Amino acid sequence: METTRRRFFALLTALPLLSFFSAVSRRSPKTLPPTPPCDDHDQPTPSLTEGPFFTPHSPERSTLLDRDMAGTVVVLNGRVLNTNCQPIAGALLDWWQADDAGEYDNRGFRLRGHQYTDKRGNFQLETVVPGLYPGRTRHLHVKVQAPGQRVLTTQLFFPGELRNERDRIFNPALLMDVRRKGDKELATYTFVVNA
Ligand SMILES: [Fe+2]
């Protein structure tokens, strides 16, 4: 009963606001921003720990695959948007990850590289599915930076991994959509940054 009453009063409070906004939209339809086409992408992508294995000055490339590299190929198609769902061109994405055996190359740049989004805020990364190493679930590391903005350091995760729930760093907001196609995995992810 109490809840119902509270809801009723909340509605009463909201009504004048609603009519105000509809009046504004009737009067000045051209000055209102367009409705964002991507309701589920209005929250900034969460940051996560960098971990101990980042190396600066990685080479620019969109494929991290080397000849004879072991593991399942994963092709990640993604976008970088701002919190108004506008695509960000020229955003930097700097990737690093473990190889199929769960090892990082801490001397060179194997499975490390950076790239930039195109005019529409899109990028494609070709790499291998990272292996597991003690204490962690499967993940990709990345730094994302819109031009002139702060760097977002975070990680992306694979769905359906047994270790996801046990990994204290894991965040479901950072799960990629992944599907199998032939012998490859096709993944998608949209980053949202303050810009
Ligand atoms: Fe890692």
Side-chain angles (χ1 to χ4, degrees):
M1 187 63 198
E2 185 57 28
T3 313
T4 314
R5 196 178 304 152
R6 245 187 253 140
R7 273 193 201 141
F8 175 71
F9 282 114
L11 190 63
L12 274 188
T13 322
L15 278 175
L17 272 179
L18 283 175
S19 48
F20 169 74
F21 282 119
S22 65
V24 167
S25 64
R26 270 200 306 276
R27 253 181 276 142
S28 51
K30 283 177 190 169
T31 60
L32 288 177
T35 305
C38 45
D39 301 340
D40 53 339
H41 294 309
D42 56 351
Q43 293 299 312
T45 303
S47 63
L48 276 191
T49 178
E50 176 177 299
F53 301 127
F54 175 67
T55 304
H57 311 301
S58 69
E60 181 176 351
R61 51 183 174 175
S62 58
T63 179
L64 306 184
L65 297 176
D66 283 338
R67 225 177 298 158
D68 304 325
M69 190 174 261
T72 302
V73 170
V74 55
V75 180
L76 168 61
N77 280 286
R79 294 186 297 168
V80 179
L81 307 177
N82 65 19
T83 47
N84 292 320
C85 289
Q86 304 300 314
I88 300 177
L92 168 74
L93 297 124
D94 197 349
W95 303 95
W96 72 106
Q97 66 169 94
D99 65 13
D100 179 58
E103 304 278 346
Y104 286 86
D105 174 10
N106 292 310
R107 294 185 174 188
F109 291 99
R110 195 164 167 267
L111 288 168
R112 298 173 185 273
H114 73 270
Q115 60 181 178
Y116 298 91
T117 53
D118 66 15
K119 277 187 279 186
R120 294 179 173 184
N122 295 327
F123 68 89
Q124 184 181 76
L125 176 75
E126 194 178 40
T127 186
V128 291
V129 175
L132 296 167
Y133 60 91
R136 292 303 319 278
T137 191
R138 212 177 295 281
H139 62 281
L140 299 170
H141 292 270
V142 64
K143 288 179 181 282
V144 185
Q145 184 179 30
Q149 301 294 319
R150 289 182 59 179
V151 176
L152 165 73
T153 301
T154 192
Q155 304 182 17
L156 295 184
F157 298 99
F158 292 75
E161 292 288 332
L162 290 174
R163 287 203 200 175
N164 282 350
E165 300 306 324
R166 277 183 283 155
D167 184 327
R168 271 186 267 167
I169 297 170
F170 174 75
N171 181 336
L174 295 162
L175 277 170
M176 296 179 286
D177 282 325
V178 181
R179 67 186 173 92
R180 189 87 182 187
K181 190 175 184 196
D183 57 355
K184 290 184 181 176
E185 294 198 345
L186 303 181
T188 57
Y189 192 80
T190 300
F191 293 98
V192 180
V193 295
N194 291 306

